[in-house]
């Protein structure tokens, strides 16, 4: 299975607008590619554009649409950069689920600057936003073991995965209703900045799990 990730063509007159050209990318990669992985920053705050991507795919031929975050999108959109709000970190997977993609790519989990010894101070790679590509830290630096240490940002991914598990049991409509009811995530620039709605959503998911 071939995999291709991209932001879109920038130097070819494929269509009147950049996004229309972006949508045409799968046509040029068939039949050699089955998974098309696009940057979340392509959509900006236009969640409605997702339907144009999905309409271009051929799931009957095994094609899938994934998304990824890397250097962008930047604040106020969801990402896993240091300095962003905790709710902003959690919103990454809420966004992925709500858009309806079948997968998600993150480019690196331990991509800090090289060091000559494992216990050296960790440094983000130059030219990247702080924390980009780093979700684990070496145990030699942050604990008394050699086991990798998970970042808080990695643990926050759980909120998005909980929603996916909930909907695998109760269906997509129930998941959308839960987002609407709690207000945790309505769009790329419309997600909660407070933790109380997240606690409410967790309570709903926990209660549903206890009923099964």
């Amino acid at each position: 299975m071939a995999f291709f990730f991209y932001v879109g063509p920038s130097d070819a007159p494929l269509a009147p607008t950049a996004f229309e050209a972006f949508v045409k990318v799968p046509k040029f990669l068939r039949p050699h590619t089955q998974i098309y992985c696009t940057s979340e920053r392509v959509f900006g705050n236009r969640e409605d554009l997702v339907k144009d991507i999905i309409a271009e795919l051929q799931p009957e031929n095994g094609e899938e649409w994934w998304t990824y975050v890397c250097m962008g999108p930047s604040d106020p959109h969801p990402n896993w950069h240091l300095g962003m709000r905790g709710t902003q970190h959690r919103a990454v997977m809420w966004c992925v689920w709500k858009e309806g993609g079948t997968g998600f790519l993150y480019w690196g989990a331990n991509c800090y600057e090289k060091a000559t010894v494992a216990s050296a101070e960790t440094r983000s790679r130059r030219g990247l936003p702080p924390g980009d590509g780093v979700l684990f830290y070496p145990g030699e630096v942050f604990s008394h073991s050699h086991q990798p240490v998970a970042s808080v940002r990695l643990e926050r991914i759980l909120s998005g995965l909980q929603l996916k598990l909930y909907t695998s049991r109760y269906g997509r409509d129930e998941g959308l209703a839960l987002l609407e009811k709690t207000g945790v995530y309505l769009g790329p620039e419309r997600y909660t900045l407070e933790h109380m709605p997240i606690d409410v959503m967790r309570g709903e998911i926990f209660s549903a799990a206890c009923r099964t």
Side-chain angles (χ1 to χ4, degrees):
M1 177 175 288
F3 182 96
F4 185 73
F5 67 96
Y6 57 101
V7 175
S10 60
D11 59 351
L14 303 177
T17 69
F19 184 78
E20 289 177 287
F22 174 82
V23 171
K24 290 179 179 292
V25 167
K27 183 177 76 171
F28 294 94
L29 298 178
R30 292 190 181 106
H32 309 291
T33 303
Q34 290 74 48
I35 298 178
Y36 301 91
C37 185
T38 63
S39 171
E40 281 289 350
R41 64 182 173 183
V42 167
F43 306 111
N45 62 356
R46 292 284 307 279
E47 197 176 51
D48 59 297
L49 295 176
V50 168
K51 66 181 185 303
D52 296 324
I53 296 289
I54 295 176
E56 180 64 27
L57 297 182
Q58 299 175 358
E60 66 276 9
N61 294 326
E63 292 185 355
E64 298 183 37
W65 172 57
W66 293 20
T67 54
Y68 73 90
V69 296
C70 186
M71 297 177 70
S74 56
D75 190 65
H77 290 251
N79 208 323
W80 290 327
H81 299 163
L82 289 172
M84 288 183 168
R85 292 173 176 265
T87 53
Q88 206 166 352
H89 296 151
R90 292 181 171 92
V92 171
M93 299 310 293
W94 295 332
C95 175
V96 170
W97 177 85
K98 190 169 185 282
E99 290 175 346
T102 52
F104 180 75
L105 168 72
Y106 192 59
W107 72 277
N110 62 343
C111 296
Y112 25 75
E113 287 284 351
K114 291 181 179 180
T116 56
V117 294
S119 59
E121 177 185 358
T122 59
R123 298 175 182 270
S124 295
R125 289 191 178 185
R126 285 169 288 184
L128 296 178
D132 197 40
V134 178
L135 295 177
F136 288 95
Y137 296 99
E140 293 85 351
V141 178
F142 295 97
S143 74
H144 297 293
S145 74
H146 296 284
Q147 299 299 317
V149 177
S151 66
V152 173
R153 290 169 295 134
L154 180 65
E155 294 178 357
R156 287 169 178 160
I157 296 174
L158 179 61
S159 293
L161 299 181
Q162 286 172 335
L163 177 62
K164 183 172 178 61
L165 289 172
Y166 176 84
T167 55
S168 69
R169 175 79 182 188
Y170 296 101
R172 182 168 179 83
D173 287 345
E174 286 296 316
L176 290 171
L178 183 60
L179 289 182
E180 184 75 26
K181 176 182 178 181
T182 59
V184 295
Y185 184 86
L186 300 177
E189 294 182 358
R190 296 185 299 145
Y191 51 87
T192 181
L193 301 181
E194 307 297 333
H195 288 277
M196 183 60 71
I198 298 173
D199 290 337
V200 172
M201 186 176 77
R202 284 175 178 159
E204 293 279 350
I205 293 175
F206 180 76
S207 297
C210 290
R211 293 195 299 266
T212 58

